[in-house]
Amino acid sequence: MDKISGQLIVYFDGMYWSGLFERIENNRNWNAKSEAVKENELKSNENSN
């Protein structure tokens, strides 16, 4: 049986929010990194909904 696991790490570096996703499938790693978003852009998007 195939084993798949993953984790998402979201971090704030003082100015930007970023994310890193790691997937492990059959002992092979797959990684994806998100683009950074400024904290004030994130707040303005929350207010527009």
Side-chain angles (χ1 to χ4, degrees), residues 6-24:
Q7 68 177 5
L8 173 64
I9 301 168
V10 178
Y11 56 94
F12 183 65
D13 70 3
M15 187 172 183
Y16 296 100
W17 285 98
S18 297
L20 175 64
F21 180 77
E22 179 182 45
R23 182 180 80 183
I24 302 170

Side-chain angles (χ1 to χ4, degrees), residues 20-36:
L20 175 64
F21 180 77
E22 179 182 45
R23 182 180 80 183
I24 302 170
E25 180 178 351
N26 296 326
N27 296 323
R28 293 179 60 192
N29 288 355
W30 306 84
N31 296 301
K33 185 175 182 181
S34 72
E35 294 182 19

